Amino acid sequence: MTTDLPAGFDISTDPARLDRALVHQWLSEDSYWAQGRSREKQEAAMANSLNFGVYDRAAGVQHGYARVVTDHATFAWLCDVYIARDSRGKGLGHALVAAVRDHLAPYELRRVLLATADAHAVYAKVGFESLTMPAKWMTLGAQ
């Protein structure tokens, strides 16, 4: 899917390849943004999103995950980006975000948004920028 991917890994949008229990464990137990998310809530989120998995080509084991909520016409929200702790530092996060960007490019979306508290550099490497006019944006719900 992307040339930035380290040797021995694949990225796929095939939902059948997802290790759903592992993704739920990562997000509900280890992420700062989805602590305590129920399995049912995670399943619903996955069912209504475009899902990306990072896999070890030889073993088939999943090492990362991201999902995109989109209308495939004007807008997308990149969320739940996660790389397994023991797989970090190998370039998988960068490759995953680049794969998402490349997958969405043909749709010519007006905007792709995300929120991060700690990974700005990962996203900046593939073209994401901080909001230039944050006062223009509003949210409904938790911040």
Side-chain angles (χ1 to χ4, degrees):
M1 221 176 204
T2 178
T3 59
D4 299 332
L5 191 61
F9 290 92
D10 288 319
I11 295 177
S12 173
T13 58
D14 180 357
R17 290 186 71 183
L18 294 170
D19 184 335
R20 293 171 177 276
L22 181 60
V23 170
H24 176 254
Q25 179 184 352
W26 286 339
L27 298 178
S28 69
E29 296 178 14
D30 194 42
S31 75
Y32 65 83
W33 64 90
Q35 285 285 314
R37 183 183 290 169
S38 72
R39 179 72 187 263
E40 294 75 24
K41 184 73 75 174
Q42 183 61 41
E43 288 293 334
M46 293 170 88
N48 293 295
S49 299
L50 172 61
N51 299 279
F52 292 78
V54 179
Y55 305 92
D56 178 296
R57 189 175 298 131
V61 176
Q62 189 168 348
H63 289 260
Y65 175 75
R67 70 184 180 91
V68 176
V69 181
T70 184
D71 60 10
H72 292 97
T74 63
F75 177 81
W77 176 262
L78 173 58
C79 52
D80 289 345
V81 179
Y82 185 92
I83 299 297
R85 286 199 175 267
D86 61 351
S87 300
R88 294 177 186 172
K90 299 177 182 177
L92 295 176
H94 174 261
L96 178 57
V97 175
V100 170
R101 177 202 59 205
D102 296 348
H103 185 91
L104 295 175
Y107 298 107
E108 299 178 349
L109 303 174
R110 179 176 174 146
R111 125 180 345 105
V112 178
L113 292 177
L114 64 88
T116 184
D118 61 356
H120 295 78
V122 171
Y123 299 107
K125 284 181 185 177
V126 299
F128 282 89
E129 300 173 348
S130 294
L131 294 173
T132 56
M133 296 175 35
K136 212 174 129 173
W137 296 88
M138 298 181 74
T139 183
L140 176 64
Q143 292 189 38

